[in-house]
Amino acid sequence: MKKRILSALLACTMTAASAAALSGCGGGGESGGEVKISVGSLPSQETEPERYQVYLDYIEKYESMYPGRKVEIDTSNMDDMDQIMVNGAAGLLPNIFRVPYTNVKLMIENGYARDITSIMKERGYDTTIRPELIEMVSDDSGNIYGVPSSGYMMGMMYNMNLFEQAGLVKDDGTIDPPQTFEEVAETARIITEKTGKPGFAIQAKDRECGWTFMNVAWNYGVKFMEEGEDGKYTATFDSPEMVSALQWLSDLKWKQKALPENMLIDRTEIIQLFATDQLGMLICAEDFLPRPTKEYEMDKNRVASSAMPAGPEGRYSLIGGTVWLISPETTDEQLEAIFDWIDLIGYAPEISADAQENTKKELEAKVANDDLIIPASFSVFQDPERQKVVDELYAPYINVDTKIMPGLGSDDVTMHMEEPEDAQQLYQVITNIIQEILLDENAGIAALVKQGQESFQKDSLDK
């Protein structure tokens, strides 16, 4: 990673420097008594003009509320982790920006995020945000480096057109979503038999396959690793539970014949299959749900969803989302200004009247952009009264049939964080195993799992 950063840095220094000059990245935010903060990870002016305008309005309101402060928009590509790492190495990160939970540890280890423990405690974030999320944005010593800004649980997505063709839609226009993975397999078989289209698929082209399959494996009781007293991890997924979980997928392919012939597809391809009525079901994150409508003009009322089904050993769902990080060059004065900004845009423990009004404007902008407004299935905060306020704000703007798309959350589902060490490498190992199983009917699952565990231990955990 460091070699790649350094080589990219040589090529990108001028670009990053230009972006910094335009946006006021990093520290040095106090000039002539004025406190400047640079804000990255905003909606795109090109693709989301309505939401972008909402943030321009936020800036105008903020600067009128806090004379002597100025907010500058950072225009560098903050959706690209490679670019974020380049900017971090050059000290050119904006004062506040977002990354996925999966990249927080990487940012901390490289020194690209500021310790914000004190202000998180002063303002009550540390006790009001879900503790499992605080853990995800903290280092091994318990120091906090990020403000969780969004979260999601994974669940299931259903093509109502194929369910209808298969005779699985009830008289009231709803479906009975599969409650277990065995029911998923049976439903997939019925859809395939009745329609001739694959009942289920998993995107098996890249490491996202492993990321998706974790939800199956945990529910079959798989334990992927254990931490020793010395802090080192030992891989433990060479187990009957892992073999059973993989056998479930193998049977869908070779016995039920309910998977696509070509399983080496990525996220874009699996969405396309779904949106064009070539696929009945898939495991999804919340950001999957609007894509058939937005990208393929599929009727939004023909997309259904549910919480993650259960396995033999439980009902778990991977949680993810994004985190606000603060650049290490940020001064104490800028940090105070940033947390006032976070409060204004509605991410603080208490939702102020201004924040509520701003949230309404952003929801209106999303509707204008033809975005789906889905009932919130996950809250970063653990206060039910706060969530009640959020639910009331969202209610007038929900534009889906909640009888078939209630979101992906459920009180019956236990949130499961990503595995604590080398998760991305683990996903690739799992993907490699699954590709072998889906390409070869006679693949030895137990042998592949054993080999995968040995490889993951030697090439990742031991290093």
Side-chain angles (χ1 to χ4, degrees), residues 154-159 162-163 181 184-185 187-189 191-192 197-205 208-209 211-213 215-216 248-250 252-253 256-275 278-285 288 308 434 438:
M154 296 186 70
M156 292 287 292
M157 186 169 169
Y158 310 105
N159 182 309
L162 293 186
F163 267 69
F181 281 104
V184 170
T187 303
R189 183 190 64 77
I191 291 172
T192 300
K197 305 296 173 58
F200 180 81
I202 188 171
Q203 56 275 31
K205 189 173 185 177
E208 190 169 289
C209 173
W211 170 75
T212 303
F213 189 75
N215 296 277
V216 181
W248 171 84
L249 188 61
S250 176
L252 269 168
K253 171 68 174 176
Q256 283 95 1
K257 300 188 184 301
L259 303 186
E261 284 191 27
N262 175 24
M263 281 296 295
L264 299 185
I265 54 177
D266 60 18
R267 178 187 293 213
T268 297
E269 292 166 306
I270 203 170
I271 292 294
Q272 183 179 27
L273 289 174
F274 182 93
Q278 303 299 307
L279 175 63
M281 299 181 291
L282 66 149
I283 296 172
C284 70
F288 282 48
M308 189 67 65
I434 289 175
L438 296 179

Side-chain angles (χ1 to χ4, degrees), residues 266-368:
D266 60 18
R267 178 187 293 213
T268 297
E269 292 166 306
I270 203 170
I271 292 294
Q272 183 179 27
L273 289 174
F274 182 93
T276 56
D277 295 339
Q278 303 299 307
L279 175 63
M281 299 181 291
L282 66 149
I283 296 172
C284 70
E286 197 166 274
D287 63 337
F288 282 48
L289 296 175
R291 290 188 61 179
T293 299
K294 293 281 287 185
E295 297 173 21
Y296 298 96
E297 298 183 351
M298 186 179 184
D299 184 343
K300 66 184 179 183
N301 293 316
R302 307 310 290 166
V303 181
S305 68
S306 77
M308 189 67 65
E313 298 298 328
R315 195 171 188 181
Y316 297 93
S317 171
L318 175 67
I319 60 171
T322 57
V323 179
W324 291 115
L325 295 184
I326 313 300
S327 67
E329 294 80 14
T330 299
T331 67
D332 290 345
E333 290 82 0
Q334 287 175 308
L335 188 62
E336 290 288 341
I338 285 167
F339 270 75
D340 289 336
W341 166 260
I342 291 173
D343 188 356
L344 178 69
I345 64 175
Y347 290 93
E350 297 286 338
I351 305 181
S352 65
D354 282 326
Q356 291 184 44
E357 188 61 33
N358 291 338
T359 299
K360 291 178 183 178
K361 289 181 179 178
E362 185 155 2
L363 287 167
E364 290 167 0
K366 286 184 175 182
V367 171

Side-chain angles (χ1 to χ4, degrees), residues 56-91:
L56 293 182
D57 295 342
Y58 287 166
I59 292 172
E60 182 178 352
K61 179 180 286 189
Y62 179 87
E63 291 178 350
S64 67
M65 290 172 62
Y66 299 99
R69 292 181 180 175
K70 185 171 179 59
V71 177
E72 297 180 340
I73 298 173
D74 179 84
T75 57
S76 58
N77 183 6
M78 299 308 291
D79 293 326
D80 182 343
M81 274 307 301
D82 285 341
Q83 184 62 55
I84 289 174
M85 297 300 288
V86 167
N87 290 355

Side-chain angles (χ1 to χ4, degrees), residues 212-229:
T212 303
F213 189 75
M214 301 300 285
N215 296 277
V216 181
W218 288 325
N219 290 330
Y220 270 76
V222 179
K223 309 298 183 186
F224 281 94
M225 61 187 72
E226 292 180 354
E227 184 178 11
E229 293 183 1

